[in-house]
Amino acid sequence: MSAHTELVSRLRAAWLSGKTRPMEYRVAQLEALGRFLDEKKQDILDATALDMGKPPFEVELSEISICRSELNHTLNNLGTWMKDKHVEKNWATQLDSAFIHKDPYGVVLIIGPWNYPINLLLVPLIGAIAAGNCVVMKPSEISRNVERLVAETLPRYLDKDCFAVVTAGTEETTRLLENKFDYIFFTGSPSVGRIVMTAAAKHLTPVTLELGGKNPCYVSDTCNVQNVARRVAWGRFFNAGQTCVAPDYVLCSLEMQEKLLVALREAITEFYGPNPQESPDFARIVGDKHFQRVQALLRSGRVAIGGQTDAQTHYIAPTVLVDVQQDDPVMQEEIFGPILPILTVTSLDDAIAFINARERPLAIYVFSSCKKVVNQVLEKTSSGGFCANDTIMHMTLTSLPFGGIGQSGLGHYHGHYSFDTFSHPRAALLRGAGREALNTPRYPPYAPRRLPLLRATTETKRRAACTLL
Ligand code: NAD
């Protein structure tokens, strides 16, 4: 038996023992996770700085505060979420109890990416613990300092019978995926998402796939250009552009492009100073391979702002590209770096057609002071999430589901949606053991004269049609 198989068996035995079911147990593990965040905060700041020069301010916001918020929201609501949900009954079951019981799946595998290595491992973990599962976590090997920190210290806070961290590169993750899990939650690229889903299909294991893609950002002619530039630049250059919900490219008119370029130049200087390489508030690309890939994208179109690079420190300046063509390399893949191409469109319809001709993105952004424009983009396009007059902010709400559609993912989480993702909604009907006479009409030998009575007690009737008039 391989070490992974042994681990999964051990966790499944712990899950079957019922240990993770009581609310007190779940609360204790979640509180312990909170202590990890408090006590290891400096280590998290150090590890993320080593991995990709993440500014501490960005780590506080996007890694620690988001986890803390998710944790608090879950602890505040867990009692309510765990309650059985009683449902409507038909006449035949009026004397019985019918409800949805939120059952944990069992042993869950969470695979994380490197770009927000704490957030994207712990936020799903919070949901999985809250729902009463045992969990194997597989952090990304690319953000190796965070991987080491998580592997060495997180298990000290959690119950080792039920929670484990596995460190693995591609080959070992492939072997890990050969095991039967009861749920797999994957965050990463669409190509690896396909591999994970194929492995899950062998065991008919359900999956959530949180993937990436190119998020369009439409800027209409009616907007406050300075505000737009600041909000787009913040969303694009946060974490040096290595954000799954970052605006990937801008669509706007030629006139707007000219105004936007001036405002973006101002915003970039205001945020990062005259030389962003010296700014403590601008991150670096995670490694050599990723640096080479992003640097190559600078050859698309013409550099209007930025464009400087330094291979040794994996620095790529906040960059804006213009004269970009649809078939340029920068438009063929998710950029995942500090590069913002601007493409010109002739109208709102043109922008909508451009968006709809491509894979469905994780997020669509629209900037306009005209509500009609915002609503048109909302109504005529499809994406995982949507945010008007800002970028990224929709995902800070624990009350909104977060996830993709089509190429950008499958399923969703955050807050209550995480709890539901990691719970099986078990249909439960508790009937009385007596009153057998009431059941007689349904038994053979069938008597057609009893059919109307059976139908009347079990069939759902259409409400009066006049409500539609
Ligand atoms: P990735 O797909 O390369 O890796 C993600 C995880 O899968 C890592 O833990 C890695 O070790 C593992 N992995 C890699 N190859 C594997 C294989 N062949 N078999 C099994 N496991 C394998 O993604 P990444 O580079 O870490 O992250 C960047 C991608 O993730 C981008 O596409 C980005 O948009 C996406 N992403 C999505 C979200 C979201 O919430 N939707 C969030 C962050 C990142």
Side-chain angles (χ1 to χ4, degrees), residues 67-264:
C67 289
R68 170 62 61 199
S69 176
E70 187 75 17
L71 202 51
N72 291 342
H73 183 67
T74 303
L75 286 166
N76 289 344
N77 293 286
L78 187 57
T80 314
W81 295 346
M82 282 180 68
K83 278 200 186 106
D84 291 337
K85 187 169 172 276
H86 286 266
V87 296
E88 267 184 36
K89 291 175 287 185
N90 54 25
W91 280 106
T93 53
Q94 276 308 304
L95 300 172
D96 309 321
S97 176
F99 56 90
I100 299 165
H101 183 68
K102 298 295 176 74
D103 243 5
Y105 271 100
V107 182
V108 167
L109 172 63
I110 298 175
I111 300 181
W114 51 262
N115 61 332
Y116 292 95
I118 294 290
N119 171 340
L120 297 171
L121 200 66
L122 297 200
V123 173
L125 175 67
I126 291 166
I129 295 176
N133 297 283
C134 290
V135 186
V136 175
M137 284 161 270
K138 209 302 283 177
S140 171
E141 73 285 16
I142 308 278
S143 42
R144 58 177 186 279
N145 289 287
V146 172
E147 181 198 40
R148 190 179 313 124
L149 173 68
V150 167
E152 283 175 6
T153 61
L154 186 59
R156 288 186 215 150
Y157 289 81
L158 299 173
D159 178 356
K160 289 188 184 57
D161 290 347
C162 300
F163 306 101
V165 178
V166 167
T167 54
T170 305
E171 262 176 51
E172 218 177 322
T173 311
T174 307
R175 282 199 292 277
L176 177 65
L177 281 166
E178 285 165 6
N179 292 279
K180 179 178 164 60
F181 290 92
D182 301 301
Y183 201 98
I184 300 179
F185 188 103
F186 171 81
T187 306
S189 58
S191 57
V192 179
R194 253 180 226 112
I195 294 171
V196 169
M197 198 168 177
T198 305
K202 293 215 173 89
H203 299 289
L204 292 179
T205 298
V207 291
T208 292
L209 301 177
E210 294 286 338
L211 311 176
K214 292 181 83 63
N215 306 312
C217 175
Y218 174 64
V219 180
S220 90
D221 286 334
T222 53
C223 62
N224 177 323
V225 186
Q226 277 71 32
N227 289 355
V228 175
R230 288 158 64 93
R231 294 173 197 191
V232 171
W234 176 74
R236 174 72 281 187
F237 303 124
F238 195 97
N239 203 27
Q242 300 161 113
T243 304
C244 57
V245 282
D248 190 272
Y249 60 93
V250 165
L251 294 173
C252 65
S253 67
L254 192 57
E255 303 79 69
M256 179 48 66
Q257 173 179 287
E258 296 317 304
K259 293 185 213 163
L260 207 50
L261 276 179
V262 176
L264 279 168

